[in-house]
Amino acid sequence: MSAASTAEAPAFVAKTKTGRITDFVDQRVGGSGILREFGRKVFPDHWSFMFGEVALYSFVILLLSGTFLTFFFDPSMAETHYDGSYLPLKNVEMSVAYSSSLNISFDVRGGLFMRQVHHWAALLFVASIGVHMLRVFFTGAFRKPREMNWVVGGVLLILAMAAGFTGYSLPDDLLSGNGLRIIDGVIKAIPVVGTYISFFLFGGEFPGTAIIGRLYMLHILLVPALILLMIVLHLFMVVVHKHTQYPGPGRNDGNVVGYPLGPVYAAKAGGFFFIVFGVLALMAGFFTINPIWNYGPYDPSPVSAGTQPDWYIGFVDGALRLMPGVIGDFHFEYIIFGHVLTLNVLLPALVPAGIIFTVLFMYPWIERWITKDDREHHVLDRPRNAPTRTAIGVAGFTWYCVMWAAAGSDLIATHFHVSLNDVTYWLRTLFFIGPVIAFTVTKRVALALQRKDREIALHGRETGRIVRLPHGEFIEVHAPLDEYKHYKLVGFESPVPLPAVPNDHGIVTRKEKRRAWLSRWFFEDRVAPATPAELEAAHGHHAQPAVEAREESKSLSH
Amino acid sequence: MKALSQKRRHPLAAIALLLLGLLVTGGLYAVATTVNQAKASTTSFSSSDVEEGGKLFAANCATCHGMGASGSKDAPSLVGVGAAAVDFQVGTGRMPMQMNGPQAYQKPAQFNDEQTHQLAAYVASLGAGPAIPEESLLDEKGDAAAGGELFRTNCAMCHNAAAAGGALTRGKFAPALAGVSGKHIYEAMVSGPQNMPVFSDANVSPEGKRDIITFLKQIETNGSPGGADLGALGPVSEGLFVWIAGLGVIIAFTIWLTSRTS
């Protein structure tokens, strides 16, 4: 103990110099307290919980590779003649933006690799967000208290799409220019103000000389900053809410079963970052993405076959492709007070996306209203145990996929040797009946799986061993499940429809009647989990043949 | 022979047979395609060519195109289509047509170079039309950059900017252009086969056509600087790849990372 220490001063003095520096910092920022609290945070272990992480890491990789690209990219739309090393474009007139993108690809060391890392990471970023949201939806993780975090996640999805689209347009090649032209068309289809918005956005008639610089600012400044803000909010809420967990013995809404962040998850997550980086680096090294040199400089006259947006905008492009120009004599274009209203652009571009995002954002509240479920849920549902929700999700996903497929209708036609028109007709049909079929099939499959679970819980697993009893009867031997698996099959909630109840004034409102109707629709088809009494009875039933064949009963084991 | 018949129910027999079949088809295909690529060196026709071509035509083509190539309700008249059209259609195996359909498919050529030459001579003798291009236009030494601009303006809307092909209406399509000989590309431009429009010399000059061929051959030999090109089909194949391969590998890793406990 040193002479300088007094009664109030901490008695601890670190032995090493590093220790003393750490202690100095810790006394001023209180890091050890944070670390102690945060490091003990427990996370449950399941592969499907890692997609959010994939999205986060993709975003970090996007920031790193994107920063590299900004060193060499010039968002100017000034005209120049290409003078780089790619011969098929030598001396071609093009914008400085396209020329600098080509230079990044061919004349900056490692530039093409970084461009491809950036683009693959962008595709993976949005894809992992999508899969993460599907996981959250189908397991019911959006329920109280996580509704607002679900909304933040939805905002992140939209921002990720915005980041992707603004970036897609930057190289100013033919493909991205065609994409911008479609966006321009959609904007111009907005009644009355559309043409004005288009002129403000492009600084005059399309394509103008301003758009690339403006998109660049959005792409590298505003959108990433918003994404970062939303990620902070998102993760903050994850810490506040704690992580959800799959049902299992000893898991309930009051605990989290898993490993602490430090050291187990810190190591796993740190390692996983490098795995994601490695996978992206390998993809970028071996597979080309957005070969801008193929497309040539943007010029409003040529349009290439097979012009598609990146996958996450595909469903909007697909909806546009599915929309008929006229149906018989019925047309979709009107002139009202001198303003053109083109519904065949406006409807497909805005309505499906509008419906998808509205339902997506509203869903936690819709389900909460129907089920009147105001409890906190930290244990997830297995998708089959919420058949109607799962069916709604699959129906929505199917609808999305039909539009998504429509964006590749030309490639479906050429690669499967079918008529493009037939592909379109089928997809138009599926646009309407696909979700209905998907809903019905999914709900029935979920209920069937529940019945199978119930059957297994009651009678055990089929072993495939057929035994002949002394009196001639054949039976199949069923083996009992171990307790952990058994718990999974019986330990779930199975709500029943809630009938309409009168309000404080004793009146059953029309809204309440609607809610009751929806509640019946939501819960009337249900397979209740096996109760202890039923389990008891089932075992008793099986004891019957075992009494008659005492020798066998030991191996039958129930 | 007995050993062979005894082994015929061996579990690997089907695989061996399949491999053999693939090898034979692949081998035949390779032979057929090299035959295809051989170029006719001369465009001058002798009277015996015309005479032999007439016989070949009567035996193989007249069923649909009519005697004297005057056409029928099943097929158009060939008077005035020129040697280029015959050389393209027969040389790429599209004619004789396999079946009626939205479009004739490319397949192994049914006639050898000499017979194709004779058929071309016969049809050319019926009326003036685009001739088989001269070698000087096919030397692939034009201006690739200019060819690229012409290609993007005139061809890319059907054939795709990277010449990977594209869909047209009702089962018709613009084929991918990799592996198509310069001569056939030129002939296609001047004769407008299947659903392709004619790009006459007034529309795209012979030098322009030479530039386009130069461009196509250059991007073909350049390959893909950024790695495997995934069919050069643009964002659809890239999206499929990231969902199936990218996410697939990531999911495999997540399962591995969380597999120690349960």
Side-chain angles (χ1 to χ4, degrees):
Chain A
M1 190 157 296
S2 78
S5 68
T6 63
E8 300 89 53
F12 171 74
V13 174
K15 285 197 181 70
T16 60
K17 198 174 180 186
T18 320
R20 281 193 294 276
I21 293 171
T22 313
D23 194 35
F24 179 90
V25 174
D26 185 39
Q27 285 183 34
R28 279 149 188 84
V29 299
S32 63
I34 299 168
L35 205 65
R36 188 164 54 232
E37 184 59 33
F38 206 63
R40 287 180 185 171
K41 216 94 202 129
V42 168
F43 284 91
D45 222 2
H46 193 271
W47 64 270
S48 71
F49 293 160
M50 298 183 86
F51 292 115
E53 261 181 81
V54 177
L56 179 66
Y57 299 152
S58 305
F59 183 67
V60 173
I61 294 160
L62 281 168
L63 290 182
L64 293 173
S65 54
T67 306
F68 178 92
L69 295 176
T70 60
F71 296 162
F72 305 101
F73 180 69
D74 182 351
S76 159
M77 289 178 89
E79 281 161 38
T80 182
H81 286 84
Y82 179 67
D83 192 27
S85 29
Y86 188 68
L87 283 181
L89 288 170
K90 197 86 180 168
N91 276 329
V92 170
E93 188 182 0
M94 60 179 64
S95 68
V96 171
Y98 184 53
S99 166
S100 69
S101 304
L102 286 171
N103 286 338
I104 289 173
S105 305
F106 294 113
D107 297 298
V108 173
R109 192 167 298 244
L112 180 54
F113 175 72
M114 290 305 255
R115 245 198 72 223
Q116 299 199 141
V117 165
H118 194 70
H119 206 139
W120 281 125
L123 295 198
L124 187 65
F125 180 49
V126 196
S128 50
I129 291 176
V131 178
H132 178 58
M133 292 188 88
L134 290 174
R135 196 279 295 169
V136 168
F137 182 87
F138 285 116
T139 58
F142 56 81
R143 291 174 297 173
K144 189 180 177 184
R146 296 183 179 78
E147 298 100 323
M148 284 169 66
N149 218 11
W150 168 257
V151 171
V152 171
V155 172
L156 270 169
L157 175 64
I158 293 176
L159 285 172
M161 287 166 60
F165 188 80
T166 51
Y168 171 90
S169 307
L170 293 182
D172 201 21
D173 58 327
L174 190 55
L175 186 68
S176 72
N178 288 159
L180 265 183
R181 184 48 147 172
I182 294 172
I183 293 291
D184 177 51
V186 171
I187 292 172
K188 281 180 176 155
I190 299 170
V192 187
V193 293
T195 44
Y196 294 89
I197 296 177
S198 168
F199 268 61
F200 288 136
L201 183 65
F202 290 93
E205 179 55 272
F206 177 89
T209 54
I211 187 67
I212 300 290
R214 290 177 181 180
L215 290 176
Y216 188 56
M217 282 305 129
L218 294 176
H219 183 71
I220 67 165
L221 189 72
L222 185 65
V223 179
L226 288 174
I227 290 179
L228 211 53
L229 179 72
M230 288 296 150
I231 288 178
V232 170
L233 267 176
H234 201 67
L235 293 182
F236 175 74
M237 283 202 258
V238 169
V239 171
V240 169
H241 294 146
K242 295 185 283 297
H243 205 288
T244 51
Q245 55 189 342
Y246 280 105
R251 299 179 185 184
N252 59 45
D253 283 330
N255 67 6
V256 185
V257 179
Y259 286 99
L261 188 72
V264 177
Y265 270 100
K268 276 196 182 187
F272 192 43
F273 170 76
F274 289 103
I275 287 174
V276 174
F277 208 156
V279 169
L280 282 172
L282 285 175
M283 281 167 75
F286 289 104
F287 299 94
T288 196
I289 184 167
N290 197 16
I292 49 167
W293 51 88
N294 276 346
Y295 304 124
Y298 183 59
D299 160 357
S301 54
V303 178
S304 167
T307 295
Q308 278 97 3
D310 274 342
W311 76 259
Y312 40 84
I313 309 285
F315 77 104
V316 185
D317 188 49
L320 275 167
R321 288 184 183 210
L322 286 184
M323 182 75 190
V326 288
I327 301 176
D329 286 337
F330 186 79
H331 64 98
F332 295 92
E333 198 162 296
Y334 308 96
I335 296 173
I336 303 164
F337 299 122
H339 291 285
V340 180
L341 180 65
T342 45
L343 288 179
N344 44 12
V345 177
L346 199 62
L347 285 181
L350 299 183
V351 172
I355 291 175
I356 284 178
F357 280 106
T358 309
V359 173
L360 188 121
F361 282 122
M362 298 289 292
Y363 190 79
W365 284 274
I366 297 173
E367 191 179 307
R368 190 163 167 265
W369 175 64
I370 296 175
T371 60
K372 284 193 168 176
D373 183 356
D374 202 29
R375 292 166 301 147
E376 290 209 353
H377 291 278
H378 299 288
V379 175
L380 298 170
D381 282 330
R382 296 175 81 206
R384 67 184 63 172
N385 291 336
T388 308
R389 180 203 298 144
T390 304
I392 292 172
V394 175
F397 184 63
T398 306
W399 202 48
Y400 180 93
C401 285
V402 169
M403 290 185 268
W404 206 13
S409 55
D410 53 333
L411 294 171
I412 295 174
T414 49
H415 283 73
F416 296 100
H417 298 287
V418 286
S419 158
L420 178 61
N421 302 51
D422 292 343
V423 174
T424 306
Y425 299 148
W426 273 104
L427 288 173
R428 277 179 190 161
T429 313
L430 284 175
F431 180 86
F432 293 104
I433 64 165
V436 180
I437 297 172
F439 180 89
T440 317
V441 171
T442 310
K443 192 165 174 185
R444 291 299 131 190
V445 168
L447 288 168
L449 286 170
Q450 278 191 301
R451 281 193 202 96
K452 191 198 88 182
D453 282 357
R454 194 181 144 86
E455 175 73 21
I456 293 174
L458 287 176
H459 305 297
R461 179 176 58 85
E462 292 176 1
T463 58
R465 265 183 64 214
I466 308 291
V467 173
R468 189 180 179 192
L469 300 179
H471 62 273
E473 183 189 350
F474 286 95
I475 60 160
E476 184 180 6
V477 178
H478 285 234
L481 291 173
D482 69 68
E483 281 179 28
Y484 287 88
K485 284 188 179 144
H486 194 263
Y487 181 91
K488 236 164 107 174
L489 302 186
V490 295
F492 65 92
E493 287 179 16
S494 177
V496 292
L498 284 175
V501 286
N503 61 11
D504 294 343
H505 306 289
I507 299 162
V508 180
T509 59
R510 189 168 292 176
K511 191 180 168 199
E512 177 63 12
K513 279 180 188 159
R514 271 203 299 274
R515 190 207 58 75
W517 185 87
L518 281 169
S519 172
R520 203 166 62 239
W521 171 74
F522 212 86
F523 289 129
E524 69 181 345
D525 294 326
R526 56 187 282 273
V527 177
T531 61
E534 284 173 322
L535 286 167
E536 199 57 40
H539 285 229
H541 166 73
H542 273 272
Q544 210 53 36
V547 172
E548 290 175 23
R550 205 168 294 146
E551 294 303 311
E552 295 290 347
S553 72
K554 291 209 172 63
S555 64
L556 295 183
S557 69
H558 56 158
Chain B
M1 213 54 217
K2 197 177 172 198
L4 200 66
S5 71
Q6 273 171 347
K7 294 245 167 65
R8 75 187 195 278
R9 293 199 195 283
H10 191 273
L12 291 177
I15 296 171
L17 206 63
L18 200 67
L19 280 177
L20 194 71
L22 284 171
L23 202 69
V24 170
T25 345
L28 282 176
Y29 182 72
V31 172
T33 43
T34 44
V35 168
N36 237 0
Q37 277 165 357
K39 283 176 188 166
S41 56
T42 171
T43 51
S44 58
F45 303 119
S46 64
S47 59
S48 72
D49 285 340
V50 176
E51 193 183 323
E52 287 300 315
K55 286 180 194 162
L56 281 169
F57 190 92
N60 295 286
C61 318
T63 319
C64 303
H65 286 290
M67 292 307 286
S70 54
S72 72
K73 67 177 170 49
D74 294 324
S77 160
L78 299 183
V79 177
V81 301
V86 179
D87 193 61
F88 177 86
Q89 301 279 5
V90 178
T92 60
R94 285 179 168 83
M95 290 288 154
M97 207 172 175
Q98 188 171 327
M99 58 177 179
N100 269 320
Q103 189 163 325
Y105 281 73
Q106 188 178 8
K107 62 182 189 299
Q110 194 170 323
F111 298 102
N112 63 25
D113 287 341
E114 195 194 353
Q115 290 166 324
T116 309
H117 182 76
Q118 289 162 344
L119 276 170
Y122 170 70
V123 172
S125 73
L126 299 174
I132 294 168
E134 288 165 26
E135 280 298 319
S136 64
L137 293 170
L138 309 174
D139 60 3
E140 298 170 16
K141 293 198 176 87
D143 180 348
E149 287 193 88
L150 282 171
F151 186 83
R152 281 188 289 279
T153 314
N154 294 291
C155 320
M157 56 276 289
C158 299
H159 285 286
N160 168 308
L168 303 172
T169 54
R170 303 209 178 276
K172 295 172 282 198
F173 63 96
L177 300 180
V180 181
S181 73
K183 185 178 70 157
H184 287 150
I185 293 171
Y186 195 102
E187 288 166 350
M189 286 189 276
V190 292
S191 69
Q194 317 295 336
N195 301 291
M196 182 164 160
V198 171
F199 293 89
S200 69
D201 287 355
N203 193 327
V204 177
S205 68
E207 288 70 34
K209 293 189 175 89
R210 177 174 173 240
D211 291 345
I212 289 175
I213 292 166
T214 312
F215 167 75
L216 286 172
K217 290 295 150 193
Q218 199 170 94
I219 60 168
E220 198 181 322
T221 45
N222 263 352
S224 172
D229 66 1
L230 306 173
L233 296 170
V236 171
S237 51
E238 292 159 8
L240 267 180
F241 188 74
V242 84
W243 272 90
I244 294 168
L247 262 182
V249 172
I250 297 272
I251 288 175
F253 273 112
T254 61
I255 291 172
W256 174 63
L257 275 175
T258 52
S259 65
R260 300 297 161 84
T261 61
S262 75

